[in-house]
PDB file of all heavy atoms in Angstrom:
ATOM      1  N   ARG A 103     189.949  42.680 155.215  1.00  0.00           N
ATOM      2  CA  ARG A 103     191.170  43.374 154.654  1.00  0.00           C
ATOM      3  C   ARG A 103     191.055  43.331 153.017  1.00  0.00           C
ATOM      4  O   ARG A 103     190.917  42.246 152.504  1.00  0.00           O
ATOM      5  CB  ARG A 103     192.315  42.581 155.093  1.00  0.00           C
ATOM      6  CG  ARG A 103     193.521  43.071 154.690  1.00  0.00           C
ATOM      7  CD  ARG A 103     194.790  42.342 155.340  1.00  0.00           C
ATOM      8  NE  ARG A 103     194.837  42.733 156.906  1.00  0.00           N
ATOM      9  CZ  ARG A 103     195.846  42.442 157.554  1.00  0.00           C
ATOM     10  NH1 ARG A 103     196.923  41.753 157.178  1.00  0.00           N
ATOM     11  NH2 ARG A 103     195.890  42.824 158.730  1.00  0.00           N
ATOM     12  N   ASP A 175     189.339  46.768 158.303  1.00  0.00           N
ATOM     13  CA  ASP A 175     190.693  46.493 158.571  1.00  0.00           C
ATOM     14  C   ASP A 175     191.591  47.199 157.424  1.00  0.00           C
ATOM     15  O   ASP A 175     191.136  48.102 156.855  1.00  0.00           O
ATOM     16  CB  ASP A 175     190.838  44.759 158.560  1.00  0.00           C
ATOM     17  CG  ASP A 175     192.235  44.484 159.141  1.00  0.00           C
ATOM     18  OD1 ASP A 175     192.264  44.359 160.467  1.00  0.00           O
ATOM     19  OD2 ASP A 175     193.160  44.109 158.442  1.00  0.00           O
ATOM     20  N   MET A 176     192.774  46.607 157.189  1.00  0.00           N
ATOM     21  CA  MET A 176     193.677  47.292 156.316  1.00  0.00           C
ATOM     22  C   MET A 176     193.007  47.287 155.023  1.00  0.00           C
ATOM     23  O   MET A 176     192.604  46.424 154.400  1.00  0.00           O
ATOM     24  CB  MET A 176     194.899  46.534 156.137  1.00  0.00           C
ATOM     25  CG  MET A 176     195.871  46.898 157.235  1.00  0.00           C
ATOM     26  SD  MET A 176     197.550  46.201 156.940  1.00  0.00           S
ATOM     27  CE  MET A 176     198.017  46.892 155.436  1.00  0.00           C
ATOM     28  N   THR A 222     190.958  51.993 167.809  1.00  0.00           N
ATOM     29  CA  THR A 222     192.029  51.084 168.060  1.00  0.00           C
ATOM     30  C   THR A 222     193.178  51.898 168.495  1.00  0.00           C
ATOM     31  O   THR A 222     193.888  51.366 169.508  1.00  0.00           O
ATOM     32  CB  THR A 222     192.236  50.380 166.585  1.00  0.00           C
ATOM     33  OG1 THR A 222     191.040  49.734 166.207  1.00  0.00           O
ATOM     34  CG2 THR A 222     193.318  49.201 166.818  1.00  0.00           C
ATOM     35  N   PHE A 251     201.054  54.696 159.223  1.00  0.00           N
ATOM     36  CA  PHE A 251     200.413  55.950 159.628  1.00  0.00           C
ATOM     37  C   PHE A 251     199.004  56.044 159.136  1.00  0.00           C
ATOM     38  O   PHE A 251     198.518  57.035 158.601  1.00  0.00           O
ATOM     39  CB  PHE A 251     201.196  57.225 159.426  1.00  0.00           C
ATOM     40  CG  PHE A 251     200.966  58.254 160.497  1.00  0.00           C
ATOM     41  CD1 PHE A 251     201.401  57.962 161.827  1.00  0.00           C
ATOM     42  CD2 PHE A 251     200.352  59.427 160.197  1.00  0.00           C
ATOM     43  CE1 PHE A 251     201.359  58.932 162.843  1.00  0.00           C
ATOM     44  CE2 PHE A 251     200.121  60.409 161.177  1.00  0.00           C
ATOM     45  CZ  PHE A 251     200.813  60.217 162.511  1.00  0.00           C
ATOM     46  N   GLY A 252     198.268  54.814 159.177  1.00  0.00           N
ATOM     47  CA  GLY A 252     196.901  54.741 158.538  1.00  0.00           C
ATOM     48  C   GLY A 252     195.979  54.972 159.745  1.00  0.00           C
ATOM     49  O   GLY A 252     196.292  55.757 160.581  1.00  0.00           O
ATOM     50  N   ASN A 253     194.815  54.208 159.785  1.00  0.00           N
ATOM     51  CA  ASN A 253     193.839  54.388 160.789  1.00  0.00           C
ATOM     52  C   ASN A 253     194.450  54.318 162.292  1.00  0.00           C
ATOM     53  O   ASN A 253     194.577  55.189 162.964  1.00  0.00           O
ATOM     54  CB  ASN A 253     192.741  53.537 160.687  1.00  0.00           C
ATOM     55  CG  ASN A 253     191.683  53.461 161.814  1.00  0.00           C
ATOM     56  OD1 ASN A 253     192.001  53.102 162.904  1.00  0.00           O
ATOM     57  ND2 ASN A 253     190.500  54.140 161.534  1.00  0.00           N
ATOM     58  N   VAL A 254     195.051  53.067 162.486  1.00  0.00           N
ATOM     59  CA  VAL A 254     195.547  52.867 163.770  1.00  0.00           C
ATOM     60  C   VAL A 254     196.794  53.639 164.206  1.00  0.00           C
ATOM     61  O   VAL A 254     196.785  54.323 165.322  1.00  0.00           O
ATOM     62  CB  VAL A 254     195.949  51.205 163.896  1.00  0.00           C
ATOM     63  CG1 VAL A 254     196.336  50.988 165.367  1.00  0.00           C
ATOM     64  CG2 VAL A 254     194.627  50.535 163.556  1.00  0.00           C
ATOM     65  N   ASP A 274     205.906  54.871 156.544  1.00  0.00           N
ATOM     66  CA  ASP A 274     204.836  54.021 155.842  1.00  0.00           C
ATOM     67  C   ASP A 274     205.322  53.675 154.526  1.00  0.00           C
ATOM     68  O   ASP A 274     206.432  53.573 154.183  1.00  0.00           O
ATOM     69  CB  ASP A 274     203.512  54.903 155.743  1.00  0.00           C
ATOM     70  CG  ASP A 274     203.574  56.015 154.737  1.00  0.00           C
ATOM     71  OD1 ASP A 274     204.632  56.114 154.072  1.00  0.00           O
ATOM     72  OD2 ASP A 274     202.602  56.883 154.638  1.00  0.00           O
ATOM     73  N   HIS A 275     204.317  53.071 153.656  1.00  0.00           N
ATOM     74  CA  HIS A 275     204.823  52.527 152.285  1.00  0.00           C
ATOM     75  C   HIS A 275     205.309  53.581 151.459  1.00  0.00           C
ATOM     76  O   HIS A 275     205.887  53.183 150.379  1.00  0.00           O
ATOM     77  CB  HIS A 275     203.547  51.755 151.733  1.00  0.00           C
ATOM     78  CG  HIS A 275     202.564  52.718 151.150  1.00  0.00           C
ATOM     79  ND1 HIS A 275     201.681  53.379 152.031  1.00  0.00           N
ATOM     80  CD2 HIS A 275     202.192  53.011 149.988  1.00  0.00           C
ATOM     81  CE1 HIS A 275     200.908  54.220 151.086  1.00  0.00           C
ATOM     82  NE2 HIS A 275     201.218  53.953 149.964  1.00  0.00           N
ATOM     83  N   ALA A 340     201.359  48.474 160.828  1.00  0.00           N
ATOM     84  CA  ALA A 340     201.280  48.370 159.390  1.00  0.00           C
ATOM     85  C   ALA A 340     201.039  46.927 159.234  1.00  0.00           C
ATOM     86  O   ALA A 340     199.913  46.402 159.632  1.00  0.00           O
ATOM     87  CB  ALA A 340     202.583  48.744 158.747  1.00  0.00           C
ATOM     88  N   ASN A 363     198.268  43.617 163.781  1.00  0.00           N
ATOM     89  CA  ASN A 363     198.127  42.221 164.162  1.00  0.00           C
ATOM     90  C   ASN A 363     199.480  41.501 163.749  1.00  0.00           C
ATOM     91  O   ASN A 363     199.844  41.592 162.575  1.00  0.00           O
ATOM     92  CB  ASN A 363     196.937  41.600 163.458  1.00  0.00           C
ATOM     93  CG  ASN A 363     195.623  42.120 164.101  1.00  0.00           C
ATOM     94  OD1 ASN A 363     195.513  42.130 165.300  1.00  0.00           O
ATOM     95  ND2 ASN A 363     194.660  42.497 163.237  1.00  0.00           N
TER      96      ASN A 363
HETATM   97  P1  NAD B   1     195.373  51.268 157.195  1.00  0.00           P
HETATM   98  O1  NAD B   1     195.242  50.546 155.764  1.00  0.00           O
HETATM   99  O2  NAD B   1     194.560  52.337 157.514  1.00  0.00           O
HETATM  100  O3  NAD B   1     197.063  51.661 157.347  1.00  0.00           O
HETATM  101  C1  NAD B   1     198.127  50.860 157.161  1.00  0.00           C
HETATM  102  C2  NAD B   1     199.323  51.559 157.090  1.00  0.00           C
HETATM  103  O4  NAD B   1     200.432  50.580 157.041  1.00  0.00           O
HETATM  104  C3  NAD B   1     199.475  52.600 156.093  1.00  0.00           C
HETATM  105  O5  NAD B   1     200.025  53.766 156.720  1.00  0.00           O
HETATM  106  C4  NAD B   1     200.446  52.045 155.080  1.00  0.00           C
HETATM  107  O6  NAD B   1     201.209  53.018 154.450  1.00  0.00           O
HETATM  108  C5  NAD B   1     201.276  51.220 155.981  1.00  0.00           C
HETATM  109  N1  NAD B   1     202.051  50.184 155.291  1.00  0.00           N
HETATM  110  C6  NAD B   1     201.582  49.300 154.357  1.00  0.00           C
HETATM  111  N2  NAD B   1     202.632  48.579 153.900  1.00  0.00           N
HETATM  112  C7  NAD B   1     203.738  49.038 154.424  1.00  0.00           C
HETATM  113  C8  NAD B   1     205.069  48.894 154.257  1.00  0.00           C
HETATM  114  N3  NAD B   1     205.585  47.864 153.318  1.00  0.00           N
HETATM  115  N4  NAD B   1     206.030  49.510 154.887  1.00  0.00           N
HETATM  116  C9  NAD B   1     205.618  50.499 155.836  1.00  0.00           C
HETATM  117  N5  NAD B   1     204.263  50.711 155.991  1.00  0.00           N
HETATM  118  C10 NAD B   1     203.375  50.013 155.358  1.00  0.00           C
HETATM  119  O7  NAD B   1     195.260  49.978 158.151  1.00  0.00           O
HETATM  120  P2  NAD B   1     194.993  49.962 159.745  1.00  0.00           P
HETATM  121  O8  NAD B   1     193.474  49.928 159.782  1.00  0.00           O
HETATM  122  O9  NAD B   1     195.615  51.123 160.348  1.00  0.00           O
HETATM  123  O10 NAD B   1     195.588  48.620 160.224  1.00  0.00           O
HETATM  124  C11 NAD B   1     196.943  48.574 160.522  1.00  0.00           C
HETATM  125  C12 NAD B   1     197.167  47.347 161.389  1.00  0.00           C
HETATM  126  O11 NAD B   1     196.386  47.271 162.523  1.00  0.00           O
HETATM  127  C13 NAD B   1     196.709  45.942 160.686  1.00  0.00           C
HETATM  128  O12 NAD B   1     197.612  44.942 161.144  1.00  0.00           O
HETATM  129  C14 NAD B   1     195.379  45.617 161.170  1.00  0.00           C
HETATM  130  O13 NAD B   1     195.073  44.396 161.095  1.00  0.00           O
HETATM  131  C15 NAD B   1     195.578  46.110 162.648  1.00  0.00           C
HETATM  132  N6  NAD B   1     194.282  46.472 163.232  1.00  0.00           N
HETATM  133  C16 NAD B   1     193.368  47.393 162.705  1.00  0.00           C
HETATM  134  C17 NAD B   1     192.212  47.696 163.275  1.00  0.00           C
HETATM  135  C18 NAD B   1     191.328  48.854 162.910  1.00  0.00           C
HETATM  136  O14 NAD B   1     190.361  49.173 163.699  1.00  0.00           O
HETATM  137  N7  NAD B   1     191.533  49.352 161.741  1.00  0.00           N
HETATM  138  C19 NAD B   1     191.863  46.972 164.545  1.00  0.00           C
HETATM  139  C20 NAD B   1     192.785  46.126 165.083  1.00  0.00           C
HETATM  140  C21 NAD B   1     194.013  45.841 164.421  1.00  0.00           C
END
Side-chain angles (χ1 to χ4, degrees):
R103 177 174 292 195
D175 193 78
M176 275 183 64
T222 308
F251 213 65
N253 174 289
V254 180
D274 72 1
H275 71 287
N363 286 312

